[in-house]
Amino acid sequence: GAVVSQHPSWVICKSGTSVKIECRSLDFQATTMFWYRQFPKQSLMLMATSNEGSKATYEQGVEKDKFLINHASLTLSTLTVTSAHPEDSSFYICSARRTGSLNYGYTFGSGTRLTVV
Amino acid sequence: DAKTTQPPSMDCAEGRAANLPCNHSTISGNEYVYWYRQIHSQGPQYIIHGLKNNETNEMASLIITEDRKSSTLILPHATLRDTAVYYCIVTGGSNYKLTFGKGTLLTVNP
């Protein structure tokens, strides 16, 4: 159990276009999901916390108007990279925590490799 | 979240136990210790977590010192597929975000 599906696994887009990444918890409900970004040879950097039915909470330095997060249901959060530029090229990873308790681990998606050309 | 300190890299021979240390001296009473690993270009994989007591599952064992200021992840019989970056993360209480440090690159050698 506790599977998180992330789609697409990779995407190439042109500069100036927008890209949407989906994160789904397949077999559990997730009130809270998290979005991370990872550059080559670096650790994961938390971008934002996505809360079902409310606005996301962004980490310091992350542009909320550029990285739009929507968490419309207990099983789906989306991250839209708007007006993408080459510097947005990165590995984006989502994570979901089962609703109710810290006694469950956080489950991660397999990541989305974004390349902006 | 409490800060964690891990060695940047470790080596282990295949078939031997891998013991990965983590210091978290500022951990507070309601914070858990989580361990994840990331194999190249994949999402992090949950390994184990604990609060006070030692924990064991099919993947690993987690030993937490009595004062909770450090812990050790034990992979009892390391295989080549265990080569990955291992992250020790402390979180809990009112702040339940998982914040990743640099982790330990474990290389299992044949």
Side-chain angles (χ1 to χ4, degrees), chain B residues 2-72:
Chain B
K3 180 179 172 60
T4 62
T5 304
Q6 299 178 253
S9 63
M10 294 182 64
D11 285 299
C12 176
E14 187 178 19
R16 303 296 294 269
N19 297 279
L20 292 88
C22 180
N23 286 322
H24 32 78
S25 58
T26 60
I27 191 171
S28 61
N30 57 358
E31 288 183 312
Y32 286 77
V33 179
Y34 284 82
W35 282 85
Y36 284 80
R37 71 181 182 184
Q38 186 179 27
I39 297 170
H40 183 62
S41 296
Q42 297 182 22
Q45 177 189 21
Y46 168 79
I47 301 173
I48 200 168
H49 76 285
L51 182 63
K52 296 180 182 178
N53 301 320
N54 298 336
E55 302 287 346
T56 296
N57 62 21
E58 64 278 5
M59 289 184 68
S61 294
L62 174 60
I63 308 298
I64 302 174
T65 58
E66 192 170 343
D67 63 8
R68 303 211 319 129
K69 292 185 177 181
S70 65
S71 62
T72 301

